[in-house]
Amino acid sequence: MRLLQSLTRGLEALDYLASRVEAARLTDVADALGVDKSNAAHLMKTLVASGYALQDDRRRYLATSKVAPKAKSNHSLSEIVAVKEAWRPALEHLVAETRECAHMAVLVDQRVWYIDKIDSSLPLKVDHPIGALSPLHCTALGKAFLAFGGATVEGPLVPYTPRTLATRRALDEEIARTRARGYAVDDEEFASGIRCVARPIYDSEGRMIAAMGVSGPSVRVSDQRLAELGKIVSSVTIPTPQKGPMNEQQSD
């Protein structure tokens, strides 16, 4: 019974961290669970040691991407075609509303594979060609899989620009922030002068199967505009396909 109670407390702590928009103080955890700070500290240490939580520089706690459902990385041709067809109207809507380039990608091993795009009509634009492969840790589409699809990155985090998050702690903290705000951000981390946002796409079983995002040059995408694009991307109307496995999955 004691072990069962400890497990229950641990799951409650994990649910609490996953539900928060901001990192939690130890006193927040203790108050939420109705335990003293000593017990809360033990729970948090256990979650951190098992990889389900992390402690940031302010000694506050965040849930990690292990809480998210697993991404699907082996896609059949019919699945890829279905998701492209189902989400093409949303991609077109994003370009019409933002006037920036929109992309869609799936997970292939530890990289994202671009399966569709619509170019911006503006002279200065971002170009990620269909069929290109990009890393997970420094692209918005890739971070979407890390935050919402349970994807992981093995090996060293290669710095592509001076802004690349090249340490595990920095990446984990960013993924936690991504989950809290509902969309991923690439702030000139893969290519200097390019900023991007992206959101997850789920299949009928609730698994993340693709990501969709918008990219633009940093001279046009200010901090304020980046946040605006994130809200637009995360709130875009999700179409429901008439046939195929990619049914609508609304996200909060």
Side-chain angles (χ1 to χ4, degrees), residues 36-57:
D36 58 37
K37 289 183 66 174
S38 177
N39 285 331
H42 180 71
L43 287 170
M44 291 299 98
K45 287 179 181 178
T46 301
L47 292 178
V48 170
S50 59
Y52 287 94
L54 62 91
Q55 192 175 32
D56 64 18
D57 294 336

Side-chain angles (χ1 to χ4, degrees), residues 107 110-112 134-147 151-161 163-168 170-172 174-175 178 184-191:
L107 181 66
Q110 293 190 57
R111 293 183 290 181
V112 288
S134 294
L136 299 180
H137 69 286
C138 56
T139 61
L141 293 167
K143 287 181 187 178
F145 277 104
L146 292 174
T152 58
V153 178
E154 298 178 4
L157 303 178
V158 178
Y160 286 83
T161 76
R163 299 182 68 88
T164 302
L165 302 178
T167 68
R168 294 286 173 175
L171 181 60
D172 283 345
E174 175 59 18
I175 294 309
T178 298
V185 171
D186 165 9
D187 189 8
E188 299 187 72
E189 298 162 48
F190 183 46

Side-chain angles (χ1 to χ4, degrees), residues 78-79 81-86 239-248:
S78 62
E79 286 179 318
V81 171
V83 77
K84 285 182 63 174
E85 291 178 347
T240 303
Q242 298 301 312
K243 296 181 181 180
M246 309 304 162
N247 295 326
E248 177 178 355

Side-chain angles (χ1 to χ4, degrees), residues 10-118:
L11 292 174
E12 289 175 350
L14 190 58
D15 285 340
Y16 174 69
L17 291 182
S19 68
R20 286 184 60 90
V21 175
E22 299 179 347
R25 300 171 300 173
L26 189 59
T27 53
D28 295 330
V29 177
D31 291 344
L33 301 183
V35 299
D36 58 37
K37 289 183 66 174
S38 177
N39 285 331
H42 180 71
L43 287 170
M44 291 299 98
K45 287 179 181 178
T46 301
L47 292 178
V48 170
S50 59
Y52 287 94
L54 62 91
Q55 192 175 32
D56 64 18
D57 294 336
R58 297 181 299 167
R59 302 183 65 80
R60 299 186 180 192
Y61 295 92
L62 299 157
T64 69
S65 59
K66 288 185 72 172
V67 179
K70 284 295 181 182
K72 186 173 182 180
S73 58
N74 296 318
H75 310 281
S76 67
L77 179 59
S78 62
E79 286 179 318
I80 293 174
V81 171
V83 77
K84 285 182 63 174
E85 291 178 347
W87 285 81
R88 182 73 180 190
L91 213 63
E92 293 171 346
H93 171 79
L94 284 178
V95 175
E97 183 169 355
T98 67
R99 300 190 69 196
E100 301 294 353
C101 184
H103 298 88
M104 191 185 307
V106 295
L107 181 66
V108 177
D109 295 325
Q110 293 190 57
R111 293 183 290 181
V112 288
W113 180 41
Y114 293 83
I115 62 171
D116 202 2
K117 75 162 186 171
I118 300 178

